[in-house]
Structures are given as C-alpha cells and as structure tokens.
C-alpha cells in the first residue's frame, strides 16, 4: 500500500471516528482516578529498603571495628563498608535517571534518547553491582567468622572453606551468566533506539 | 471552568487521536485499551503543566507518542487498569473494502521503526513537516528525509 492510498484510508477512518465518539465524562474521570504505580516505582521502593539494610550493616561493622585486630581483617572491614556505602547510592541514582523520562513535557526524540541512555546505564550498573556483590560476599566470610565466632580465618584456615568458596564461585558464575543473557538484549535494544534516532 | 471539566472536554474533542495512536502501537485489543488508559492518565498528570504554549493537539500528540513508546517497554505492565465496561475500543467500518484497506495499512505501519511509526502517524493525520518537527523534536530537514525513507520502505514492503 502506497502512502497516498494510506492517507485516503486514514482520512476516511478519521471522519467515521468523529461520528462514533464513545467517551463520557464519567469514563474519562474513571480512567484518570486509577492508582497507577509503575514498575519503576516498585523497584525504586525495593532499592530504598535494600539501601537501609546496607547502611544498618555498615553501622554494625563500624560499631565492632575495634574487634578486627589484624590488618587483613581491617582492610576487609573497610572494603565492605565502602561497598555498603557506595552501591545503594549508585543504584538509586541510576533508577532516578530512568524516572527522569517525563512523557508530559519531552519531545518524542528526547524521550527515546533519555530512556535508551538510562537503560544502558542501568544495565552497566547492574553488571558492576554483581561484581561488587561477589567481592562483598568473599569479604564477609572472614569478617563474619571474626565478628560472630571470634575466629581469624586469615591466620587459621577452616577446612570448611575449601568447600564453601568453590560453591560460591559456581553460584556467582551461574548468576553472572543468567544476568548477562537477560541484559544483552536490553542493551542491544537501547543501542538500536539510539542509532535509530541518529540516522 | 473547573479543571476536570476542561480536561474531559479536551479529551472528548480529541479522543480519535488517542484511539489511532493506541491502534498503531498495539496489536491486541487488550493492549490497545491499556495504552489508551495510560495515555489519558498521562495527559491528566501533565494537564497542570500544559499552559497552552503549544496547540492542545500538538501537546496531546507529544504526550501520547511518548506514552506509547514507554508503555511498550515496560517489562511487566503492572499498572492496575480499571475495568471500564462502557468503553469498547473497537472501530468497525461499515465499508468492508475500507476495513480491508485499514488492516493492510496497520500491517504496513507496524513494520516501521518506532520513530518512523510516529512520523507516519503524524503525516497521515495531515500534519505539516514543521508541526511534525515540533512534536517529535527532530529538525524539519530530518523529518523530510525520514518521510522519503518511509515512502521507500513502504514501496519495498509492497514488492515483498
């Protein structure tokens, strides 16, 4: 179908639609009164709860920091606290960037661009997040052993660790693989949108 | 005039725009209804900030196209949609030939990219290049280039 034929069909449809008006005041108001909570708001709230948990853990490590009496334990403690302090802030920032898509004031081009860029940043942050979570998980092993059981794993290695660490590695490897698979298509789509805008 | 009255009047005057955009971007009746509702809701949300700097229809097209774009990308659409029994988003032309042409037309449009879908929709609505540029945010020359590419793509699709 060529453009001219489309225009003729479209115009005929528009004329008929004008005669078939369906909306009433009641329907319009009903539509606008619904409590709309977007998916992003839900994630944002979950992230906020996660952030609070991270900061509680940070305070707990800080309060017991004097019990970490060797340099390796202290370094582990500091790294853990850094991860707990920085990751929630970065996470909230990337989600806020996604929420910046304001459909009521932006042009179509701006909406697409902001959305695609925000999505790319979000996916890249999630990759960093998983890497940092892995480091964090490794660091919490000696920290929790010391803080809860008084054992210094850097001095006396527990044989159980020989089983636990490989399991952790396998678990994280699988998690990373699944996450990357999910995000690959998201990234591809974002790239496609950006490319489409620039064409 | 109260805000609610002014809003419902605006929507009633332009309900065709929302219907047509919903139909271009969504295949199924249920999705069309969801998008339709989403567009009305977004228009309500932005109604206070709309100060008549641009034409009402220009603003409506912009919000509706933006909503359609983001609506399609929500991974899980969990916005609770209200059941509106009185609203049947179906348009049944009396003329079977027109119906056939419309089906064919939507098939052709849905094969275009998101940007081009928006542009052709505005073109079919009779908008001038300047108006399309104002709504989409692309320059007038970019709009012209895209329209000539769309024409080309439609011809190619026709051959296939």
């Amino acid at each position: 179908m060529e453009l001219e034929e489309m225009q003729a069909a479209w115009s005929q449809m528009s004329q008929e639609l004008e005669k078939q008006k369906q909306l009433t005041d009641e329907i319009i108001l009903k539509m606008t009164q619904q409590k709309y909570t977007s998916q992003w708001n839900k994630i944002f709230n979950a992230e906020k709860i996660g952030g609070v948990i991270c900061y509680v853990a940070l305070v707990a490590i800080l309060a017991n920091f004097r019990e970490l009496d060797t340099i390796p334990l202290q370094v582990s403690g500091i790294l853990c606290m850094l991860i707990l302090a920085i990751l929630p802030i970065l996470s909230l920032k990337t989600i806020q960037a996604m929420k910046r898509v304001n459909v009521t004031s932006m042009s179509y081009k701006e909406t697409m661009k902001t959305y695609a860029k925000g999505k790319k940043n979000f996916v890249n942050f999630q990759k960093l997040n998983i890497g940092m979570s892995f480091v964090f998980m490794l660091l919490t092993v000696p920290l929790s052993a010391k803080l809860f059981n008084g054992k210094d794993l850097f001095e006396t290695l527990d044989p159980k660790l020989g089983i636990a660490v490989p399991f952790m590695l396998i678990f994280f490897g699988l998690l990373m693989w699944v996450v990357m698979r999910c995000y690959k298509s998201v990234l591809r789509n974002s790239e496609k949108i950006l490319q489409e805008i620039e064409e | 005039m109260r805000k609610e009255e002014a809003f419902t009047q605006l929507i009633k005057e332009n309900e065709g725009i929302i219907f047509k955009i919903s139909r271009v971007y969504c295949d199924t009746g249920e999705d069309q209804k969801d998008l339709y509702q989403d567009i009305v809701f977004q228009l309500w949300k932005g109604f206070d900030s709309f100060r008549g700097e641009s034409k009402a229809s220009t603003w409506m097209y912009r919000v509706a196209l933006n909503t359609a774009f983001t609506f399609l990308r929500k991974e899980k659409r969990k916005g609770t949609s209200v059941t509106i029994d009185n609203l049947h988003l179906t348009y049944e032309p009396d003329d079977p030939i027109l119906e056939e042409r419309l089906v064919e037309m939507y098939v052709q449009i849905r094969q275009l990219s998101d940007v081009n879908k928006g542009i052709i929709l505005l073109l079919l609505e009779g908008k001038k290049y300047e108006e399309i540029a104002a709504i989409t945010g692309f320059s007038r020359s970019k709009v012209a280039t895209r329209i000539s590419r769309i024409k080309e793509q439609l011809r190619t699709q026709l051959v296939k």
Side-chain angles (χ1 to χ4, degrees):
Chain A
M1 190 183 242
E2 296 247 4
L3 189 61
E4 291 69 27
E5 290 174 82
M6 279 188 178
Q7 275 168 326
W10 190 273
S11 138
Q12 205 177 335
M13 176 182 73
S14 297
Q15 280 169 16
E16 287 191 18
L17 271 174
E18 274 301 302
K19 291 181 219 149
Q20 293 183 15
K21 295 214 168 193
Q22 300 182 49
L23 293 183
T24 61
D25 291 3
E26 192 201 338
I27 293 175
I28 296 168
L29 292 175
K30 205 172 169 185
M31 276 195 261
T32 53
Q33 277 160 6
Q34 65 170 310
K35 300 275 177 211
Y36 180 86
T37 316
S38 75
Q39 188 67 5
W40 283 113
N41 273 334
K42 283 178 188 168
I43 296 172
F44 191 60
N45 289 333
E47 290 289 328
K48 273 194 229 171
I49 296 164
V52 170
I53 294 169
C54 285
Y55 277 92
V56 169
L58 188 150
V59 171
I61 297 174
L62 195 64
N64 296 293
F65 196 76
R66 62 181 180 284
E67 286 183 38
L68 307 174
D69 45 12
T70 63
I71 301 277
L73 281 171
Q74 285 168 352
V75 170
S76 302
I78 291 168
L79 287 176
C80 266
M81 286 193 289
L82 278 176
I83 292 171
L84 288 169
I86 296 167
L87 278 191
I89 295 171
L90 284 179
S91 174
L92 291 179
K93 273 193 175 288
T94 44
I95 292 168
Q96 267 176 332
M98 287 296 303
K99 285 163 73 82
R100 241 173 261 144
V101 177
N102 182 355
V103 294
T104 62
S105 64
M106 286 177 167
S107 72
Y108 195 41
K109 184 185 171 188
E110 282 170 328
T111 301
M112 291 176 120
K113 210 170 183 172
T114 313
Y115 180 89
K117 282 192 171 171
K119 197 87 182 171
K120 264 178 79 175
N121 288 341
F122 179 73
V123 169
N124 286 331
F125 169 72
Q126 289 303 82
K127 287 184 196 169
L128 171 82
N129 202 359
I130 290 179
M132 286 290 114
S133 306
F134 177 62
V135 174
F136 179 74
M137 206 165 162
L138 284 179
L139 291 173
T140 50
V141 176
L143 270 189
S144 50
K146 179 68 184 174
L147 294 176
F148 296 119
N149 294 324
K151 275 187 187 174
D152 186 349
L153 293 182
F154 288 110
E155 286 184 352
T156 48
L157 265 179
D158 191 330
K160 283 178 196 160
L161 277 178
I163 303 166
V165 172
F167 264 109
M168 272 166 59
L169 286 172
I170 292 168
F171 170 74
F172 258 92
L174 281 173
L175 183 71
M176 197 79 173
W177 181 74
V178 171
V179 170
M180 289 306 144
R181 258 177 72 115
C182 289
Y183 286 144
K184 242 183 193 172
S185 69
V186 176
L187 271 182
R188 233 187 349 253
N189 285 338
S190 298
E191 286 293 347
K192 207 174 135 195
I193 292 166
L194 289 172
Q195 199 185 339
E196 206 179 279
I197 298 167
E198 298 311 327
E199 265 175 10
Chain B
M1 195 190 288
R2 278 171 57 230
K3 183 187 166 188
E4 281 85 356
E5 275 174 53
F7 180 72
T8 49
Q9 193 179 321
L10 176 80
I11 298 292
K12 278 200 277 188
E13 279 167 10
N14 297 285
E15 66 179 85
I17 295 176
I18 312 173
F19 174 82
K20 285 180 264 187
I21 291 181
S22 305
R23 203 163 164 198
V24 160
Y25 282 90
C26 297
D27 299 340
T28 68
E30 205 50 45
D31 279 350
Q32 284 167 16
K33 216 169 172 176
D34 273 355
L35 176 57
Y36 193 102
Q37 224 176 306
D38 215 1
I39 293 171
V40 174
F41 178 69
Q42 293 297 343
L43 288 167
W44 171 254
K45 259 172 73 179
F47 193 59
D48 282 334
S49 57
F50 168 63
R51 297 184 206 288
E53 285 155 8
S54 55
K55 259 167 63 185
S57 64
T58 303
W59 175 71
M60 280 188 81
Y61 279 114
R62 192 184 294 150
V63 176
L65 287 174
N66 289 344
T67 309
F69 175 77
T70 49
F71 176 88
L72 294 174
R73 279 159 186 81
K74 280 177 199 162
E75 276 130 79
K76 280 176 192 166
R77 281 180 223 137
K78 282 194 175 170
T80 45
S81 57
V82 175
T83 311
I84 303 163
D85 298 327
N86 307 338
L87 181 66
H88 301 289
L89 281 186
T90 46
Y91 159 68
E92 284 157 10
D94 299 330
D95 181 357
I97 298 167
L98 174 63
E99 192 173 354
E100 204 178 295
R101 282 165 67 207
L102 287 175
V103 169
E104 195 190 328
M105 180 184 74
Y106 280 114
V107 169
Q108 299 284 325
I109 294 177
R110 286 185 192 134
Q111 290 179 53
L112 300 172
S113 68
D114 279 338
V115 176
N116 291 347
K117 257 183 218 162
I119 288 176
I120 197 171
L121 188 138
L122 295 168
L123 188 71
L124 292 172
E125 284 287 273
K127 300 284 165 202
K128 294 190 179 109
Y129 286 13
E130 287 77 12
E131 286 175 280
I132 298 177
I135 294 167
T136 58
F138 290 100
S139 65
R140 193 197 174 281
S141 61
K142 268 258 165 97
V143 169
T145 316
R146 282 186 175 273
I147 289 173
S148 85
R149 279 196 210 145
I150 292 169
K151 284 182 182 171
E152 193 55 46
Q153 191 180 337
L154 290 174
R155 266 184 226 115
T156 320
Q157 283 172 193
L158 197 67
V159 173
K160 282 179 189 171

